[in-house]
Amino acid sequence: MAKDGPTPLERFIHGIIPENPVYRQLLGMCPTLAVTGNMAAAMTMSAAVLFVMVGANVITSLIRGLLKPHLRILIFTLTIATFVTIADKFLAAYVYQMSKELGPYVPLIIVNCIIICRCEVCASKQSLRAAVADAVGQSIGFALALASIATVRELLGSGSWFGIELFWRKGTPGEACRWAIMNQPPGAFLTLGLLLGAAVWIALAWNKRTKVNI
Amino acid sequence: MKSGYLKQAWLVLALALCFGAALAVVQVAWGPKIEQNKENDARSQIPRLVVGAGADLTPAGRNVEIRDERGLRAYRVYRAMCAGEGGRSVQIGWVVKAKGPGYADNIELLVGLDLKAETITGLAVLAQNETPGLGNAIKAPAWRRQFAGKAAGGRLEAVKGTPHADCEIEAVSGATISSQSVCDIVNRAVADFRAKLPELRDEE
Amino acid sequence: MELIGQLILIAVGAAMINNFVLHYFVGICPFIGVSRRVDMAFGMGCAVTFVVTVAAFLSWIFTFFLLQPGAPLAQWVVGLFLPAETAAKVDLSVLSYIVYIFVIASSVQFVEMYVRKFFPVLYKSFGVYLPLITTNCAILFACLYIMKNVVGVGPAEQWDLARSLVLAIFAGVGFTIAILIMAGIREELDACDVPEPLRGAGITLIVAGILALAFLGFTGMDRGLAGLFN
Amino acid sequence: MAWTIIILAAGSMLLLAVLMACVLGWANKTFCVEVDPRIERVNEALPGANCGGCGYIGCNEYAEAVVAGNAPADLCTVGGTSCAAALAEILGLEMEESWPRRPVVHCGARTADRLQRNEYRGEPTCAAANIISGVQGCVYGCLGLGDCRQACDFDAIHIIDGLAVVDYEKCVGCGACARVCPRNIISMVPFKAEQMLAVICSNKDFAKDVKAVCRVGCTGCGLCAKMSELFTVSDNLPAIDYDRYDAAAFVQDIAKAVEKCPMKRLFYVGKPTDKDLAATADEELPDAIQADFRTTVDKTEWHG
Amino acid sequence: MVETTKDTNEAKKPAAAIHVAPAPHLSSGSTSRRMMIDVLIALVPVAAVSLWIFQWYALKQIIVCVAGCVVAEAVFTAMRRRPIALGDCSAVVTGLILAFSMPGTAPWWVGAIGSAVAIGLGKVVFGGIGQNIFNPAMVGRAFVMVAFTKFLGAGGYVDIHAAADAITQATPMTAAFKAGEGFDLLKLLTGQTNGSLGETSAIACLLGGLYLCIRRTASWQIPAGAILGLLAAAGIDNLAHPAASWTALHHLFGGAFMLGAFFICTDPVTSPLTSKGKFIFGLIFGLLVMLIRLFTNYPEGVMFSVLLVNAITPLLNRWTVRKPLGWVAEARK
Amino acid sequence: MTTMSDKTSYVRGSGSFRGGVHPPGFKAQAAERPIEVAPQPQQVNIPLLQHTGAACEPAVQPKQQVRSGDVIGDAEAFISAPVHTPIAGTVGRLSVATLPNGRHVRTVPVRADGEQLTGQSLWDDIFGGDWPTDGLEKHDPTKIVQATHDAGLVGLGGAAFPTHVKLTFNEKKPIDTLLVNGCECEPYLTADYRLMLEAPAPIIVGAILAAAAVRAKRIIIAVEDNKPAAVEKMRDVAGGAGVEVAVVKTKYPAGSERQTIFTVLGRKVPVPGLPLDVGVVVLNVGTAAAVARAVLRGRPLTHRVVTVTGPGIREPKNLLVPIGISYGELIEYCGGLTLDAARVVAGGPMMGFALGSFDTPVTKGTSGVVAMTHRDIRRAGETNCIRCGRCVDACPVNLVPTKIALATRNADWDLAERYYITACNECGCCAYVCPAGIPLVQLIRAGKAQMPKE
Ligand SMILES: Cc1cc2nc3c(=O)[nH]c(=O)nc-3n(C[C@@H](O)[C@H](O)[C@H](O)COP(=O)(O)O)c2cc1C
Ligand SMILES: Cc1cc2nc3c(=O)[nH]c(=O)nc-3n(C[C@H](O)[C@H](O)[C@H](O)COP(=O)(O)O)c2cc1C
Ligand SMILES: Cc1cc2nc3c(=O)[nH]c(=O)nc-3n(C[C@H](O)[C@H](O)[C@H](O)COP(=O)(O)O)c2cc1C
Ligand SMILES: Cc1cc2nc3c(=O)[nH]c(=O)nc-3n(C[C@H](O)[C@H](O)[C@H](O)CO)c2cc1C
Ligand code: SF4
Ligand code: SF4
Ligand code: SF4
Ligand code: SF4
Ligand code: FES
C-alpha cells in the first residue's frame, strides 16, 4: 500500500478488462445471470449499476475521513440502498416496462458485491477523482460483460439483438430453431460458465505470452 | 452509556436521517407518476377488452368473492365506462381480474365482458411466467383475439390444430397446457362472475 | 386443509421448483464460494436458512406495520397530527429497501455476536458464515418476495406471517440442498481433469446449469402436490 | 402531505438507526470475545500465499502459532527476511541472523550412470516407485520421476536426463521439494554465498556395492576429510559442516578436496555465475512446462 | 567380482526384458472397453425393435447421434490436447443411448446438437471418460429438450403423415396422462407403440439389461432399487385411485423406465461406488420418476430423474462408505 | 477336546468373508510335485534383517569358520530374531542386498566349506523322523518361547513377524485359540500344501507346542476347500491329537489372518489391532513345523520350503532350500526361465514382489518364486477410473480403494485418512479387478509411506 497507487486513468482502464468485475473478480454474479436474457435488459441494468456505483463511490469518498472501521460496511450499504431506491423509482417512473421486466433484480443491486467491494477497496481510501474513475471503469467493465453474455443468449435464444429480429424470425418455420434454453436458467448458467472459461483461457494465454501477471 | 453508542454511530444516524428524507422526496416527486404508469398499464388494455373505444375503468363498488368447497376465490371487478351523450359516462361492460395456475407459475388475466356478461369481449395477460418461446406466446394479441366474441356461458377448450366447434380455442403450438390453463381461468372467472352479477347490478 | 395446501405450494415452490439459486439466480456468490467442501457447504446452508428466516420475520413485521401503504403504525403516527384521510394514504414503501438492508445487517450482526459469545461450538461450525451473508442477495430477495405479496395486493391474497416464514425457511432449505449437491460434486471434481480455464467458478457454473436443467423436472410439482390437499 | 411523508420517513429512519445503534453497541460490549489483536496484524504481514512452506496448514494457522509462541517468526520462506522482521517487530522479538535456505539434490547420476536398471511398469511417481525394489540398483539415488517437480509451485526444479536439477534463479527455498522426495536426497542448505559446495551423492554402501550400482557414486574413500576438517565421513559418505562453512576461509582446503575426490562428487551449486551464463548463452532453454493431467487445484476465492 | 555377478545376471535373463512392477501381478482381465462393448451387445435387441418399429426414422437418428458423439469426442479431446481415446467405445454408447432417448421425428440437427452437448458439456468439460458427474446422453437430451421443446415435447412425437405406423399415434404416456386412457400391456412389452426410439419395448430392454447384470457390467442393485422404488410409489397411487386404468405395471413397462433403469442409471461413471449406495440410488430414481409422472406437467420423468440422482451421487458415495472390518473409532485417539 | 469330522460343527464363522476375489488357482503346475531338497549352493548371502522388526548385528568375523546352524547375526531387540547359517563354511566380507520387498539390508556371505547335510539326511533332520505327540502340553511355556527365539523363528506366511513375540504369554490378553493357517490362498503357490501332505506330523506337534506356550485351549487348522488332499491328511493326523480342521471357502485372501479369523471364528480383529486382541494367535503351517523342530530338536530356522513355479519356469518344483541361496540358483535348478518369461515374482502373484536382480538371496519369508509370461501379466491399459465400484466390492476390509488411490495421487492426506487408508492390508484385490488398470495398491502403499506422520 505504500507504493503509489494507480492513477485515475489506470483505475478506469483496469476496471474494464484486466480487473473486469464479472470475468476476473467473479463479483455480482446474480444480476449477471438474471438480466442477460436480452440486450435491452442487460443495458438498463448496467446503466442502473453505473448510476449507483458512481453515486455510492462519490459519497463514500467524500465521507472517507469520518468512517469508523466497524460501522463502515453498514454505511456503505445504507448509501447504496438509497441510490438503488432512487434508480429503481426512476426506472419505474420513466421506463415502466423495463422496470417490470427487471423486477426484483434492480433492488438486488444493493447487495451486489461489486459496489460494496469498490467502496471498500477504492472509494473509502481514495480521492474523489480516483473514486469516480474507478466507478465508471468498473461499471463499463460490468456492462461489457453483461453485453457479451446477453448477446450470446439473445442471438441464440431469440435470433435477435436489442429486440431486432435478425434470423429465426417469429412466424416462420425457422422459429422452431431458437434455442429456448437460452432464455431459461440453465442457459444462463451454461453461457456464463463457458464464457468465463473462455475469458480465463484468454487471460492465461495472454499471461503466458507476455509473462506479466495481470 | 447509551449516548456513547450514539456518539460512535453519529454518522450512521445522520446518514439515516438524510437518506430517509431524500427517499421521501423521491417518493413525493415520482410516486404519482409511478402510480400513473401502473394505472396506464392496466388501462391500456381496456379498449381492446371491451367493445367501443375510449373506455375507462372504474373499480366496482365491491369485488366478487366466491367461497365454495374449493376455497375462497376473489376477483377484482371493474366497470368499463365510456363517455356517452351529454358528457355522461355510461357503463358499457365489465372487466374481471382473475388469477390461476398456468404451466410454470400463476397466470393473471383481465377478462372483458359485455354489460350482460353474455359475451367475452376480450382478454389481456397481466402477468405470466410461462416458458419463453412456448407458453409465453399466450401474450400474443393474435392468440388472445380468439377469445373475443365467445359466448360467456360455454366452456372454452384449447385444442391442437384448427378449432372446429365454437367453444374451441386453438392452442399455442407446443404449449397446450398453458393454453388450457388460460381457458380454465377464464371459464371459472366468468362463471363465478355471472353468479354474482345480479348482486353487482343491484348496487347501482 | 386449504392452508396446508397453500403452504405446501409455497414450500415446494421455494425449495425445489423455483429454487433460489437455480431458478432465481440469487445467492450465487456463496454458492460458488463456499461449495468446495461438503461440511462447509452445510454450515453455509444452515446459516442462510437461519438468516433468511430471521430476515423474513423482521421484514414482514416492518412491511406490514410500517411500510405498506396504509400501514397501521404509520397511519397511527400521522393520525396524531393530521386528519385520518391523509393518514390513510401514507405510503412509506419507498423506504423498504433501505429498511430491509438495515434491519438484516443489524440483526445478523447481533445474532453473530450472541452466538459467538454463548455457543462457541456452534459459532465455529456455522457462525463464521453469518457475516459473509448479511449482504447476500438471497436474503434480500426473500424480503422483496415477501414484500411483493404484502404490498399492493388485495386482503384476500395478502401473505400473513406464517406464509412468509414458510417461504423463508424453505428457500433456505432449497439453498442448502443446492449447495450441498454442488459441494458433493465439487469434491468429486477435485480429482478430475477439468480444463484449466474452467477450474473453479467455470465448472461450478456449468454444473449449476445442468442442475438447473434437472430441476426443471419439478415444474408444476407444487400444484400437483397441493392438489392432494384440496 | 409531501412534508408529512418526508418528516415521517426521515423520522422513522432516525428512530430505527438509534434503536439499532443502541442494541448493537450494547451487544458489542456485552458479547465481546477477546481475540488477540496481534493475530490480525501478523496475518496482514504474512504474504497470504497459503503455501504451507512454514509447515502449517495456511498463513492464518501459522499466524496463530506465532502469536501463541509455538513457532519461530522466520518460517515463512515466501515472505523472506523482510516478513520475518515484520513479524518479529509485531511480537517484539529479537531476530537472529538467518541464511536463506536452498535445496541441494544429493545425487549426481544421469540415466547412463545408473546401473542395474529395470523397466518399471507402475505409477510414474517417485513415491510409488520407491516402494518397488529393483527399479534401479542404487536405492539412495534420485529416481527421476519428478515428484519434486510436481511439488514445486515455482517451476524451479526440473528433471534433466533422469536427475532432479534445481533452478536456483527461480527457487524461493520453500522446501516443498525436500519434503516430498521419498528418498530424502534433497536437503535445505543455508546458502551463505551465491554458490555453495555440496556432496552430490547419497549412497552409504561400501565402495564395491556402490560401484555395482552407479558409475559416479561416492565410495566413501575419505580423501576429502583428509584435506579439510569441513568434511566428516560417516556411513561411507562425507558431510559438510555448514555451520563452519565459509568459502573464503577454507578456499584452499576446498579446492584440494574437490581436486582429490576420485569420484568428483564435490560440486558448487547455486545461481550460475556470469562465466557459466556466458558459456551457455546460446543454448536453448528446455521447455519444461508440461500439462498437469491430474489435479484440479481450485484457486477461486470467495468475494461476496 | 562385480563383473561376474553381473554376467550371471545377464545370462539368466530370457530374451524378453524382465521388468519390475507393483503387485498384484495378475488381473481379472476386464477392461473399460470390454464393458462398453457389453453395453453395445446388450443394446442389440433394443436396436432391433427400434428399427422394426420406426424403420428409417430410427436408422437416421442412430447414425446422426453415434456419428455426432464420435466426432464430438474426437474434436473436443483434440481441442484439450489429450489423447483421443475413441477405442474405448464410450462415445458410441453415449451416441446410441442418446439416439434411443429421442423421437424418430426430430430433425437431424437436433440429434447433432444433442450429441455435441452430450459429449462437450456432459463429458469433456469434466475431464473425459470416467470423470463426468452427469450422464452425458441425458445432459444432451435435456439440453435439446429444453431448447427445442417443439420437437421433443409430446407434440413432437406425433407426425400424422409419417411412414412408420407407430409415429402416427400419441405416445402411451401422453395418452394416459392427457386423456386418461389405459393401454394394452402386451403392446408396451413388445413395443408396438409410439415413443422414443429405444423405450417402446420393455422386453427388449429387459433382455439386454439382464445380460448386463449377468455379465456384471451393470450392477444389479440399481435396477432392483429402481423397480422397487417405482412399484412402491405406483402401488400407493394405484391404491389411492383403484379405478385408474394405468396401473403400476403400466408405469413399470411404459415410458422410458425400463431403458432408464437398465441402461442409463447403470452407467458406472455416474452411479455410486458402494452396493448400498447403488441400491439407494436406484430407489431414489424410481421414486423420482413416479413423483414427476404423477405430480408435474411432464408425462415422463426418466431423464430428469437420472440427472437428479446423478447430482446426489457424490453425496451418496460419501454417506454410504462403510467402516473397515473391525474398525475401532476410539483407537484413533 | 473331541475330534469332529463334520465341517459345519466347528466352523463358527460363516466359512467365508465379504469381498475378495477368485483368481484362477494355477496350482496344478506344482501341486503334484513332492518337495525336493535343493542342491547345496556354493555360497549363501544371509541378510541380517529378514523379519519385521530390528536388524541383527553380525556375530561373526570375515574368514571365520562356521558350522551349519551357527548364529550369524544376533538379535538384541525384543521384536527381532537371530539369523543362522544353513551351511558350513567361511564367512566373507559384509555386503548389502536389496530384498524384493524393497528393504536394503546388510548381508553376510558364507562360502560352503567342509561337511554338509544334504539330500535325504537334510530332510530327515528337518521334517523327517519321529514326532512324539505325547506330553507336549507339559513343556514349559517360557522354554518354548526361548527355543523359538533362539532358533530365529519368524512367520513363514509372509509377514515374517518374530514368532516368539506372538507366543509370549500376556496376562491382559489371554489367548483361547491357536489358528494354524494352511489356506495358501495365493495362486500358483503350493509350498504349504506340499508341507501339509508330506510333513503333517511336525505341523501338528508344533501347533500343540505353540498352543501350550500361549495356553490356548483350541487349535484349529484352516485349509481352503480347493485342497481336499491336505484336508484329509490333516484330519487323519490331527484326529488323535485333538486338533480341529476347518475347511474354508476358496477365495483370495482367505489366508490373510483377519479374514481367516473372521471366517473360522466369526471374530473381527480390531483395526488398528492384532489377532491377540480377540484371543487368537495365527501361525502359518510352515511356522508350526519350525516350532516343533526348534523346541524338540533345538534346531534353528535355516531352511524353508519354496515353490518355484509359473508358466515362465521350465520345470516347476517345490524345494526345500537353504535360506540365503540366490533366486537365480533356484530358477536354474528348475530348468531356468522360458523364453517368454517377463516377470519373476518373489512370493505369490497377488502380493509378491517383482524381482529386479536374480542375485537377491532367499529369506525366511520367501514362500515362492513365480515366473510369469507376458500373457499372464497382461492387464488393462490404464485409463481414468470409471467409478464402477468393483474395487469397493472386492475389498475384503470394506474400503473404497479408488478414493484412497486418487487422494494419494492428489496428496490429499486428510481425504485418504477419511477413507481409512491405514486399514488397507494391501491384499491387491482392488487392483486385480480394476477394469481401468489403475495400480490401486501401489498408490495406497505409496500413500501410507508418504502420509505425514503425527
Ligand atoms: C423446457 C420446457 C418448457 C415447457 N414450457 C411449456 C409452457 O410454457 N407451456 C406449456 O403449455 N407447455 C410447456 N412445456 C411442455 C410441453 O412441451 C408438453 O410436452 C406439452 O404437453 C405440450 O403439448 P403440445 O405439443 O400438445 O402442445 C414445456 C416443456 C419443456 C421441456
Ligand atoms: C431415456 C429417456 C428419457 C426420457 N426422459 C423424459 C423426461 O424426463 N421427461 C419427458 O417429458 N420425457 C422423457 N422422455 C420421453 C418420454 O418417455 C415420452 O416420449 C413422452 O411421452 C413424451 O413426453 P413430453 O410430452 O413431455 O414430451 C424420455 C425418453 C427416453 C427414452
Ligand atoms: C492378503 C494376505 C494374504 C495372506 N495369505 C496367506 C496365506 O495364504 N497363507 C498364510 O499362511 N498366510 C497368509 N497371509 C499371512 C497371514 O495374514 C498371517 O500373517 C500369517 O498366517 C501368520 O502366520 P506366520 O506368522 O506364521 O506367518 C496373508 C496375508 C495377507 C495380508
Ligand atoms: C452399463 C453401462 C451403461 C452406460 N450408460 C450410459 C448412458 O446412459 N449414457 C452415456 O452417455 N454413457 C453410458 N455409458 C458409457 C460410459 O460410461 C459413459 O459414456 C461415461 O459416462 C463417459 O465418461 C454406459 C456404460 C456402461 C458400462
Ligand atoms: S529428487 Fe527425489 S523427488 Fe525428485 S525426482 Fe529424484 S527421487 Fe524423485
Ligand atoms: S525448488 Fe521449488 S519446491 Fe524446492 S525449495 Fe525451491 S521453490 Fe521450493
Ligand atoms: S489392497 Fe487394500 S484397498 Fe485394495 S482390496 Fe486390499 S485391503 Fe482393500
Ligand atoms: S475398480 Fe478401478 S475403475 Fe472401478 S471404481 Fe475401482 S478404481 Fe475405479
Ligand atoms: S451477487 Fe448475489 S450473492 Fe453475490
Side-chain angles (χ1 to χ4, degrees), chain F residues 204-230:
Chain F
I204 301 289
V205 170
I208 297 172
L209 285 170
V214 294
R215 292 161 216 186
K217 288 184 207 66
R218 289 183 84 190
I219 302 171
I220 304 177
I221 300 185
V223 187
E224 275 188 337
D225 60 9
N226 65 348
K227 305 180 188 69

Side-chain angles (χ1 to χ4, degrees), chain E:
Chain E
M1 161 136 195
V2 175
E3 294 310 308
T4 53
T5 52
K6 258 199 67 165
D7 278 349
T8 53
N9 198 356
E10 297 300 330
K12 267 172 244 141
K13 284 200 179 184
I18 290 279
H19 49 248
V20 294
H25 307 282
L26 287 177
S27 110
S28 61
S30 86
T31 64
S32 316
R33 181 172 183 225
R34 174 68 222 189
M35 291 174 73
M36 299 305 155
I37 290 175
D38 271 346
V39 182
L40 295 182
I41 294 172
L43 281 172
V44 165
V46 179
V49 174
S50 175
L51 288 171
W52 169 50
I53 305 277
F54 297 102
Q55 296 148 23
W56 75 273
Y57 288 93
L59 191 66
K60 174 198 73 177
Q61 205 64 271
I62 291 173
I63 291 176
V64 168
C65 289
V66 172
C69 282
V70 170
V71 170
E73 170 93 20
V75 170
F76 289 133
T77 30
M79 273 167 65
R80 289 210 56 204
R81 303 209 182 81
R82 294 284 185 275
I84 300 172
L86 291 179
D88 63 24
C89 294
S90 72
V92 179
V93 174
T94 302
L96 261 186
I97 299 266
L98 178 64
F100 287 152
S101 71
M102 301 245 268
T105 43
W108 68 269
W109 49 268
V110 171
I113 293 176
S115 308
V117 172
I119 297 294
L121 283 180
K123 185 168 168 190
V124 177
V125 291
F126 294 100
I129 183 167
Q131 321 214 31
N132 45 307
I133 301 293
F134 299 96
N135 190 313
M138 290 301 103
V139 170
R141 188 185 195 277
F143 188 94
V144 288
M145 169 146 175
V146 176
F148 313 110
T149 317
K150 232 172 230 152
F151 300 111
L152 283 101
Y157 279 77
V158 185
D159 178 359
I160 321 239
H161 314 291
D165 280 347
I167 297 182
T168 56
Q169 313 140 15
T171 64
M173 297 305 275
T174 317
F177 291 102
K178 291 263 171 65
E181 290 166 17
F183 213 89
D184 186 5
L185 259 184
L186 199 64
K187 267 189 163 177
L188 290 182
L189 286 171
T190 54
Q192 292 145 298
T193 63
N194 194 1
S196 302
L197 296 178
E199 76 181 10
T200 56
S201 167
I203 286 191
C205 296
L206 198 64
L207 220 61
L210 288 180
Y211 170 78
L212 282 186
C213 291
I214 289 167
R215 289 274 310 163
R216 308 246 267 141
T217 294
S219 312
W220 61 269
Q221 290 93 339
I222 295 174
I227 292 173
L228 207 71
L230 179 118
L231 285 182
I236 294 173
D237 178 58
N238 264 192
L239 290 182
H241 310 279
S245 54
W246 198 262
T247 65
L249 280 184
H250 287 87
H251 275 300
L252 182 64
F253 296 128
F257 182 74
M258 277 297 186
L259 187 71
F262 280 104
F263 289 93
I264 303 178
C265 280
T266 52
D267 178 2
V269 177
T270 55
S271 56
L273 290 163
T274 59
S275 345
K276 191 165 138 204
K278 284 173 179 164
F279 188 77
I280 299 176
F281 173 93
L283 209 64
I284 296 180
F285 168 73
L287 292 175
L288 275 177
V289 168
M290 284 314 295
L291 199 69
I292 292 178
R293 282 186 183 173
L294 294 178
F295 297 114
T296 73
N297 299 331
Y298 296 100
E300 172 63 300
V302 170
M303 175 186 74
F304 292 117
S305 306
V306 169
L307 291 177
L308 287 166
V309 277
N310 284 170
I312 57 167
T313 295
L315 294 176
L316 283 179
N317 272 340
R318 208 184 145 91
W319 291 332
T320 56
V321 171
R322 283 162 314 169
K323 292 262 179 304
L325 189 76
W327 185 257
V328 210
E330 306 83 76
R332 307 283 309 141
K333 280 153 203 156

Side-chain angles (χ1 to χ4, degrees), chain C residues 124-200:
Chain C
K124 248 210 149 94
S125 55
F126 94 105
V128 284
Y129 303 108
L130 285 175
L132 302 182
I133 43 178
T134 24
T135 57
N136 160 280
C137 352
I139 316 293
L140 186 61
F141 185 80
C143 297
L144 295 171
Y145 201 95
I146 290 166
M147 174 182 131
K148 196 181 94 184
N149 286 293
V150 173
V151 176
V153 280
E157 288 171 344
Q158 191 173 40
W159 275 16
D160 51 12
L161 188 55
R163 269 176 258 209
S164 310
L165 286 184
V166 166
L167 173 97
I169 292 172
F170 281 89
V173 169
F175 180 86
T176 312
I177 292 176
I179 198 171
L180 261 185
I181 289 180
M182 182 55 87
I185 292 176
R186 285 185 73 182
E187 280 193 4
E188 194 85 31
L189 286 179
D190 270 355
C192 293
D193 175 28
V194 173
E196 181 75 34
L198 284 173
R199 284 185 195 174

Side-chain angles (χ1 to χ4, degrees), chain B residues 75 98-101 109 147 155-158 176-192:
Chain B
Y75 304 90
K99 193 169 166 180
L109 301 171
F147 285 83
R155 241 192 98 69
L156 297 177
E157 199 71 53
T176 317
I177 300 175
S178 307
S179 313
Q180 185 59 45
S181 305
V182 171
C183 292
D184 290 343
I185 299 167
V186 171
N187 288 339
R188 196 139 52 101
V190 170
D192 287 345

Side-chain angles (χ1 to χ4, degrees), chain C residues 112-120 123, chain D residues 27-37:
Chain C
E112 189 221 337
M113 288 191 278
Y114 184 80
V115 173
R116 189 171 182 185
K117 176 85 183 173
F118 296 107
F119 307 97
Y123 181 78
Chain D
N28 202 7
K29 270 258 161 58
T30 328
F31 302 151
C32 173
V33 180
E34 284 298 324
V35 180
D36 194 333

Side-chain angles (χ1 to χ4, degrees), chain B residues 143-172:
Chain B
W143 187 77
R144 284 187 283 124
R145 228 171 272 136
Q146 293 185 73
F147 285 83
K150 296 280 187 220
R155 241 192 98 69
L156 297 177
E157 199 71 53
V159 296
K160 272 195 234 180
T162 336
H164 301 294
D166 190 38
C167 63
E168 287 179 352
I169 301 280
E170 183 184 345
V172 173

Side-chain angles (χ1 to χ4, degrees), chain D residues 21-152:
Chain D
C22 290
V23 171
L24 286 186
W26 172 77
N28 202 7
K29 270 258 161 58
T30 328
F31 302 151
C32 173
V33 180
E34 284 298 324
V35 180
D36 194 333
R38 292 182 304 172
I39 292 182
E40 189 103 324
R41 286 176 58 208
V42 169
N43 244 333
E44 273 168 24
L46 290 172
N50 285 320
C51 67
C54 46
Y56 290 85
I57 296 169
C59 293
N60 192 29
E61 212 90 349
Y62 176 52
E64 282 175 13
V66 167
V67 172
N70 297 335
D74 60 349
L75 286 185
C76 180
T77 46
V78 177
T81 34
S82 64
C83 169
L87 295 203
E89 197 202 313
I90 295 170
L91 300 168
L93 294 175
E94 283 288 318
M95 279 295 296
E96 303 168 25
E97 191 186 17
S98 74
W99 300 104
R101 288 179 177 265
R102 292 288 179 269
V104 170
V105 181
H106 297 280
C107 177
R110 302 290 161 126
T111 309
D113 301 328
R114 308 213 181 124
L115 305 173
Q116 294 189 18
R117 284 171 68 84
N118 287 299
E119 185 191 340
Y120 164 62
R121 296 193 188 165
E123 179 76 1
T125 62
C126 306
N130 188 40
I131 55 171
I132 301 291
S133 99
V135 175
Q136 70 187 25
C138 176
V139 295
Y140 301 93
C142 178
L143 285 160
L145 291 166
D147 286 12
C148 46
R149 183 180 62 78
Q150 280 276 337
C152 180

